[in-house]
Every structure is written in structure tokens, then in C-alpha cells.
Amino acid sequence: MSLTFILFLLSLAMAAAMELRPGYYSKTCPKAENIVRNVIAKNMARDSRSTASVMRLQFHDCFVNGCDASLLLDDTPSMLGEKLSLSNINSLRSYEVIDEAKEEVERVCPGIVSCADILIMAARDATVLSGGPTWDVKLGRLDSLTASQQDSDRIMPSPRANSSYLIDLFSRFNLTVKDLVALSGSHSIGKGRCFSIVFRLYNQSGSGKPDPTMEPKFRANLHKLCPLGGDGNVTGDLDATGVIFDNQYFKDLVHGRGFLNSDQTLFTFPQTRGYVRQFSEDQNEFFKAFAEGMIKMGDLQSGRPGEIRRNCRVVNSHPTVKVFESS
């Protein structure tokens, strides 16, 4: 096979990867979306935290070289993957849920549905099953052939990030301030670790004092949950309604009850405060903006060649570029 022909195939594959659309698997694997949703529902019944964990996987995958399931690759002797990056090692979980969804889809439609698309479906389903909005997911992605712990460390924000940093980060991906605030509402469900907030409670900005924006009763409860020198792995709800996807997260921010610094700063920062207040007062507007933001984030792609992995944790034994006809 000539180099020219190989390059031609690569260009076709990259072009195909850009043509994302709803119903991509309607002919080649029409049961794919139902299979993924059933797996998410089953795991939600088993562990209510899994839905929040699964939803976050889309964020941490798409921001690092596009939505290509690079996040799911395990380390190899020649590659440090993204799972052990600074922002992921202690905050992400439920990779096995995606493994299970992939196995079920492979059983019905082997070699057809990418892990990257399963991540996107799963994030939508986790939102819906928790009480949040739904949207038509655009599909047709390829899985990456590599991952980069370095890129993940460079790009992904820490719990200490402020709104100015987050606005700049999102703008690099053509995501607006409204997108930032709406997508931060993913913290409507899930838990955070004491390790992520101990500085807010005892040494905000090196002051030796707690974050003054925290509401006093809320701060007192966090002191009990996360005493100085205590177990950093203890977890607390990110908002007052825990496992329900609603706009309580924004109501909490308005009253100084944000769990993470990166959450509460959305209300203390002038450019984001208006959207926080708007979403706290209008859940439908939040749901609409969240769905729009998830779709826009799902459009992020690197344009690199890829494949349909058989196992989401490893590239295929003999990686090849796979080109599909329109389904």
C-alpha cells in the first residue's frame, strides 16, 4: 500500500470523524443508545454516585485533545495515560461502568460503536436518570490511538481554580461564560473530597483563615466533616440535594454554600455571578443551557486518526484507521 493511499485513508477517517450527527448508528447498531442507558441505570441502582462519576468523564476526556476516549486508556510501558494525571487520579471513578457498556454493545454490534461515543451517550444518560435534561447526542467519533498525562496535567483545572482561570480555559474551546456556568452545574450531583477543600477551611489564599465567602453554618458543618488533619478521602455532597440533578447547586452558591472553591467563585466573580443567579431562579433555563453546553463540548475533536477500540482500556493489537460509510 503506497504512502499516498495511506494518507488518503487517514484524511477520509479524519473527515468522517468530523461528521457527527444524531442517529449515527441507526442502521449499523440501532440498539446502542438503549444498551448504554440500561447499563447506566443498572449501575445507578447499585451505586448512586456512579451517575455523577460517569457524567464527569465527558468533561475530563473532551477537554484533553477532544472527545476521543483517550481518558480511558490504561498506562503502558511507553505511555503515561490520563487516569493518573493530577486532576484525575483522586477525582474520577466508574471507568468500569463504561467497560460494561462497551462489552454489552460489542456483544450486539462488534467493532461498530466507539468508546468515545459511549462516553458521550453515558454522560447524557447519567444526567437524565438523575432528573436532568435530555438532548440528542451527536455520534460518529473515533477512539484515539494514544493518551497524554502531560496534556491532562496542563489543561484540566484544580478545585482551587478561580473564575478568571476557568473563563480563559473555556474560551480556548469556544465555550462562553454562560457555557462555563451552566456546565459547572454538573456539580448538582456527586460528592467532593475533604482533600479538595481543606485549604478553604483553614488556609484560604495562605491567610491561615477560612474562605470568608462561606456561610457560617455551612462552614461549621464542613469543619465537622473535614477537621484539620482528618481523613482527606472523606466525602461530602456537592450540593444540598445530592443525587438529584436540579438547580439547587446554584441556589447554594447564592447563599455561600458552594463546596469547592471553583464552585463558589462563580458567584463571587462579577462576570459569572449573573448567570449563577439566573440559573438559581430558573431551572428550565439552566437545563436548556446545560444541554447546549454538553453538545458544544461533545463537538471538540483533535482531528487525529483513530479506530474503534475493542477494549476501551487499550488500543487494538494492530491499530488501523477504520472508515465507515454513512449509516
Side-chain angles (χ1 to χ4, degrees):
M1 186 180 295
S2 70
L3 177 60
T4 300
F5 186 64
I6 292 173
L7 292 174
F8 173 69
L9 287 179
L10 289 175
S11 67
L12 284 179
M14 287 186 282
M18 296 300 293
E19 296 172 1
L20 305 179
R21 66 181 188 277
Y24 183 85
Y25 298 109
S26 60
K27 294 180 181 178
T28 56
C29 190
K31 295 182 179 179
E33 293 191 47
N34 284 336
I35 292 171
V36 172
R37 180 166 296 195
N38 288 339
V39 170
I40 303 305
K42 181 171 67 173
N43 280 275
M44 179 182 180
R46 188 184 305 153
D47 174 11
S48 61
R49 285 186 66 192
S50 69
T51 49
S53 302
V54 165
M55 185 198 304
R56 306 247 206 285
L57 295 178
Q58 175 173 333
F59 289 73
H60 289 248
D61 183 46
C62 291
F63 276 123
V64 182
N65 301 318
C67 309
D68 60 3
S70 60
L71 173 66
L72 303 180
L73 287 173
D74 288 339
D75 290 357
T76 71
S78 60
M79 182 198 75
L80 290 178
E82 296 161 25
K83 291 179 179 177
L84 299 183
S85 71
L86 295 174
S87 60
N88 296 343
I89 186 171
N90 291 314
S91 63
L92 296 187
R93 58 196 292 274
S94 295
Y95 296 109
E96 71 282 353
V97 177
I98 304 301
D99 291 337
E100 183 179 346
K102 175 64 172 176
E103 289 170 5
E104 289 296 311
V105 171
E106 282 291 299
R107 185 174 57 80
V108 176
C109 310
I112 299 295
V113 182
S114 69
C115 299
D117 278 345
I118 289 174
L119 267 182
I120 297 294
M121 295 181 219
R124 186 269 313 273
D125 296 339
T127 304
V128 174
L129 291 168
S130 300
T134 189
W135 59 93
D136 291 331
V137 287
K138 291 193 281 186
L139 305 170
R141 297 165 188 81
L142 295 176
D143 297 324
S144 68
L145 303 177
T146 187
S148 174
Q149 187 175 122
Q150 183 179 16
D151 286 348
S152 183
D153 284 338
R154 177 175 54 83
I155 294 171
M156 295 305 300
S158 80
R160 301 190 183 198
N162 60 34
S163 286
S164 180
Y165 174 85
L166 294 171
I167 288 171
D168 178 67
L169 172 64
F170 274 58
S171 69
R172 295 181 220 167
F173 301 104
N174 293 318
L175 294 169
T176 66
V177 174
K178 185 177 183 179
D179 294 327
L180 161 63
V181 179
L183 291 172
S184 296
S186 65
H187 285 176
S188 171
I189 57 175
K191 294 178 179 291
R193 296 190 313 137
C194 287
F195 173 81
S196 299
I197 64 166
V198 68
F199 72 97
R200 288 192 72 205
L201 290 171
Y202 303 105
N203 192 29
Q204 177 78 325
S205 302
S207 66
K209 299 178 180 180
D211 181 352
T213 67
M214 284 192 288
E215 190 268 331
K217 287 186 178 180
F218 179 72
R219 184 177 68 236
N221 289 334
L222 289 184
H223 274 295
K224 293 178 182 177
L225 179 71
C226 307
L228 188 62
D231 184 353
N233 289 315
V234 170
T235 60
D237 289 334
L238 291 174
D239 83 357
T241 54
V243 297
I244 302 173
F245 193 100
D246 55 18
N247 68 337
Q248 183 63 46
Y249 165 82
F250 297 104
K251 294 177 181 179
D252 287 349
L253 298 187
V254 170
H255 293 98
R257 299 172 192 148
F259 190 86
L260 300 174
N261 191 75
S262 55
D263 291 331
Q264 192 59 53
T265 187
L266 295 174
F267 190 68
T268 59
F269 199 71
Q271 285 180 261
T272 49
R273 183 184 299 130
Y275 289 117
V276 172
R277 194 176 293 280
Q278 178 186 18
F279 295 152
S280 75
E281 297 170 352
D282 189 339
Q283 180 167 281
N284 288 335
E285 182 60 27
F286 162 48
F287 279 11
K288 178 184 176 183
F290 184 83
E292 291 173 351
M294 291 293 276
I295 292 169
K296 289 170 69 174
M297 188 202 311
D299 286 342
L300 298 176
Q301 296 179 85
S302 68
R304 299 173 180 177
E307 64 179 3
I308 305 298
R309 289 187 217 137
R310 292 185 289 271
N311 180 333
C312 291
R313 293 176 179 263
V314 296
V315 298
N316 297 337
S317 299
H318 301 286
T320 57
V321 175
K322 199 159 188 175
V323 182
F324 296 100
E325 296 179 357
S326 297
S327 57

